């Protein structure tokens, strides 16, 4: 296992760990295991490079154990991450439980989807589409309660359809992705990514930038690996800086500003604000009450009805305490962009309105109804160009 002091110190700032095994760097047939962390902007920071004889529970346990011990030695502080993310492998789950018993185990949604899609091979196109479409919606559950509720209704919907394999499939999916691995929906943890993409694309880049030959003698392999790990350490803080808060990009500020100007009417009750989704103009008091009843499960509904209500209104909540300094981090929203990136135009708009953040003048210069073009905005053009 290779690491540097600065990589360890940097990892200590994070509370989301990612692990992944890669055979792309295959050396003498042994897998390479990588452990690292992501920040609030979903940037990946590698921490340990390890060559293991296999990728079993014991290998992941020693990887995580070394990470914990060395980070603690380097910082003289307890290292207790909130989340451990990896694919669905039971080896990762057990290792995470052994080393970080208090951490939640997230499983990569991308892997879950791929595995389920594989399981559906040979099924009729119609049923396959139904299952994957329903799962995409359930994946967007904003809270564990919502996940349980919609998962059950989704299974009921399949069982009452004429899909011949419904019964088998429901048994499979309940065991695998509800009882064993349920950490694939967004609301499982609102402040960590729901996929392992960051570490996987990092592993892809290693191969593009470093030549690790499968048959390299141990001396040459070690030199290449050492160079690579030193390069990681050098890049840290230079090209990429660890961010503890989700960034408020200019595009989101622009969308927020336009949204404020458009003036859709929300309904606010205490810390909860009900936001009309899509083309809806407003949310009335009755609609907000109906939303609460349906979402809490006190009104019996079908899966279709539940999804209709869930995606017609976004619920923004202010979780900030009184007397503390207020910030945009106090706000959460149930719209898909927020669930995916911990930031959306609704919370930005609310923070602008409350005076917690200033909107950049540039966010106001895009005509209403237009989206900001990608990339850095152009500097002001000379006034007398024509
Ligand atoms: Zn939102």
């Amino acid at each position: 296992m290779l690491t540097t002091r600065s990589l360890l110190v940097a990892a200590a700032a994070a509370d989301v760990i990612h692990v992944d095994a890669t055979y792309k760097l295959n050396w003498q047939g042994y897998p390479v295991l990588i452990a690292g962390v992501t920040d609030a902007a979903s940037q990946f920071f590698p921490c340990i490079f390890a060559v293991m004889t296999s990728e079993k529970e014991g290998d992941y346990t020693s990887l995580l154990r070394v990470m914990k011990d060395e980070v603690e030695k380097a910082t003289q502080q307890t290292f207790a991450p909130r989340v451990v993310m990896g694919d669905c492998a039971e080896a990762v789950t057990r290792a995470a439980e052994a080393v970080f018993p208090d951490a939640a185990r997230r499983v990569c949604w991308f892997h879950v989807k791929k595995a389920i899609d594989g399981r559906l091979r040979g099924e009729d196109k119609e049923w396959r589409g139904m299952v994957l479409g329903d799962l995409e919606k359930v994946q967007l559950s904003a809270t564990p309660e919502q996940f349980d509720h919609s998962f059950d209704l989704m299974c009921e919907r399949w069982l009452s359809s004429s899909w011949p394999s419904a019964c088998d499939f429901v048994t499979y999916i309940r065991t695998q992705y509800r009882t064993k691995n349920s950490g694939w929906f967004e609301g499982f943890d609102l402040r960590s990514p729901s996929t392992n993409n960051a570490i996987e694309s990092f592993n892809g880049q290693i191969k593009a930038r470093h030549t690790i030959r499968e048959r390299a003698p141990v001396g040459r392999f070690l030199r290449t690996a050492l160079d690579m790990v030193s390069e990681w350490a050098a890049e840290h803080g230079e090209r990429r800086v660890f961010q503890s808060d989700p960034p408020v990009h200019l595009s989101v500020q622009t969308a927020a500003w336009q949204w404020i100007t458009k003036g859709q009417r929300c309904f606010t009750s205490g810390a909860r604000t009900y936001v009309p989704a899509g083309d809806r103009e407003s949310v009335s008091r009755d609609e907000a009450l109906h939303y609460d009843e349906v979402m809490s499960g006190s009104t019996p509904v079908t899966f279709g009805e539940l999804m209709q209500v869930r995606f017609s209104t976004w619920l923004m909540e202010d979780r900030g305490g009184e007397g503390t300094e207020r910030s945009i981090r106090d706000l959460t929203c149930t719209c898909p962009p927020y669930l995916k990136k911990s930031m959306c135009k609704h919370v930005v708009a609310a923070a602008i309105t409350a005076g917690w953040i200033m909107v950049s003048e540039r966010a106001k210069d895009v005509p209403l109804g237009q989206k900001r073009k990608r990339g850095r905005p152009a500097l002001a053009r000379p006034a007398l160009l024509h």
Side-chain angles (χ1 to χ4, degrees):
M1 294 189 212
L2 304 175
T3 184
T4 75
R5 206 186 132 78
S6 68
L7 291 175
L8 292 165
V9 171
D15 51 11
V16 182
I17 295 187
H18 295 251
V19 291
D20 189 35
T22 174
Y23 284 86
K24 284 176 190 146
L25 309 172
N26 202 316
W27 179 72
Q28 309 289 357
Y30 297 134
V32 164
L33 267 55
I34 302 222
V37 297
T38 47
D39 66 359
S42 292
Q43 298 187 96
F44 179 71
F45 295 88
C47 181
I48 297 186
F49 172 96
V51 183
M52 297 293 198
T53 48
S54 61
E55 46 168 324
K56 297 201 183 103
E57 185 187 335
D59 302 293
Y60 281 109
T61 308
S62 22
L63 178 75
L64 292 178
R65 175 86 55 205
V66 166
M67 183 173 184
K68 180 177 159 64
D69 290 351
E70 294 304 316
V71 167
E72 290 183 348
K73 252 190 252 165
T75 58
Q76 297 294 315
Q77 268 169 359
T78 315
F79 182 49
R82 206 182 68 247
V83 171
V84 177
M85 156 67 98
D87 61 19
C88 302
E90 231 172 296
V92 176
T93 310
R94 293 231 189 89
E97 267 167 18
V99 183
F100 300 114
D102 295 329
R105 162 81 160 99
R106 270 207 105 155
V107 291
C108 172
W109 160 230
F110 180 74
H111 282 91
V112 170
K113 199 159 66 171
K114 219 168 94 182
I116 291 174
D117 196 32
R119 171 89 187 196
L120 288 168
R121 209 166 294 141
E123 288 293 339
D124 212 65
K125 219 172 153 188
E126 183 194 343
W127 304 123
R128 216 167 150 166
M130 172 187 78
V131 168
L132 293 172
D134 288 355
L135 281 169
E136 297 268 359
K137 291 183 193 141
V138 170
Q139 199 271 332
L140 288 168
S141 299
T143 61
E145 296 74 34
Q146 218 177 84
F147 172 73
D148 289 346
H149 188 201
S150 52
F151 194 99
D152 287 345
L153 290 177
M154 172 180 73
C155 292
E156 270 175 39
R157 163 171 141 93
W158 296 344
L159 290 170
S160 60
S161 72
S162 53
W163 183 26
S165 331
C167 208
D168 282 351
F169 189 79
V170 164
T171 312
Y172 154 78
I173 203 163
R174 272 199 181 131
T175 323
Q176 287 299 320
Y177 300 110
R178 170 106 190 250
T179 315
K180 267 197 207 159
N181 301 305
S182 66
W184 50 273
F185 64 97
E186 296 294 340
F188 182 78
D189 182 85
L190 285 176
R191 301 247 180 253
S192 59
S194 57
T195 69
N196 221 8
N197 290 357
I199 187 170
E200 281 168 23
S201 64
F202 177 82
N203 288 346
Q205 285 167 30
I206 296 181
K207 207 194 174 186
R209 285 171 52 187
H210 302 270
T211 340
I212 297 185
R213 294 186 204 286
E214 188 176 351
R215 290 262 159 247
V218 70
R220 194 182 305 157
F221 173 77
L222 190 59
R223 220 171 308 134
T224 316
L226 280 169
D227 284 350
M228 187 169 72
V229 174
S230 326
E231 217 173 278
W232 295 351
E235 261 177 27
H236 227 293
E238 232 175 68
R239 267 204 318 145
R240 297 183 315 142
V241 179
F242 190 91
Q243 300 192 23
S244 0
D245 284 317
V248 187
H249 292 300
L250 189 56
S251 57
V252 185
Q253 287 188 37
T254 307
W257 183 251
Q258 297 209 348
W259 188 69
I260 292 174
T261 322
K262 210 166 126 199
Q264 275 172 309
R265 285 210 309 279
C266 305
F267 177 78
T268 301
S269 164
R272 294 156 77 88
T273 298
Y274 302 79
V275 179
D279 294 335
R280 290 184 68 200
E281 296 275 308
S282 61
V283 175
S284 66
R285 190 191 145 81
D286 285 349
E287 284 167 330
L289 284 174
H290 178 66
Y291 176 90
D292 281 346
E293 275 172 19
V294 171
M295 296 311 285
S296 66
S298 58
T299 302
V301 283
T302 64
F303 180 70
E305 287 161 349
L306 179 72
M307 290 300 118
Q308 202 276 327
V309 169
R310 193 257 177 262
F311 289 103
S312 65
T313 303
W314 311 132
L315 177 62
M316 195 161 42
E317 278 182 277
D318 185 348
R319 291 156 194 252
E322 257 177 64
T324 54
E325 202 187 318
R326 307 308 313 275
S327 92
I328 192 167
R329 288 201 74 162
D330 296 342
L331 303 172
T332 63
C333 183
T334 62
C335 73
Y338 183 87
L339 296 174
K340 300 263 175 206
K341 303 207 151 135
S342 310
M343 195 50 68
C344 71
K345 63 181 178 186
H346 311 115
V347 301
V348 174
I352 292 172
T353 313
W356 299 343
I357 57 171
M358 292 286 285
V359 61
S360 147
E361 283 305 314
R362 280 189 172 155
K364 300 179 185 171
D365 67 7
V366 177
L368 277 189
Q370 270 183 32
K371 277 195 180 155
R372 177 166 289 281
K373 296 204 180 76
R374 285 177 141 263
R376 193 188 292 265
L379 294 173
R381 291 194 191 87
L384 301 174
L385 193 66
H386 294 289

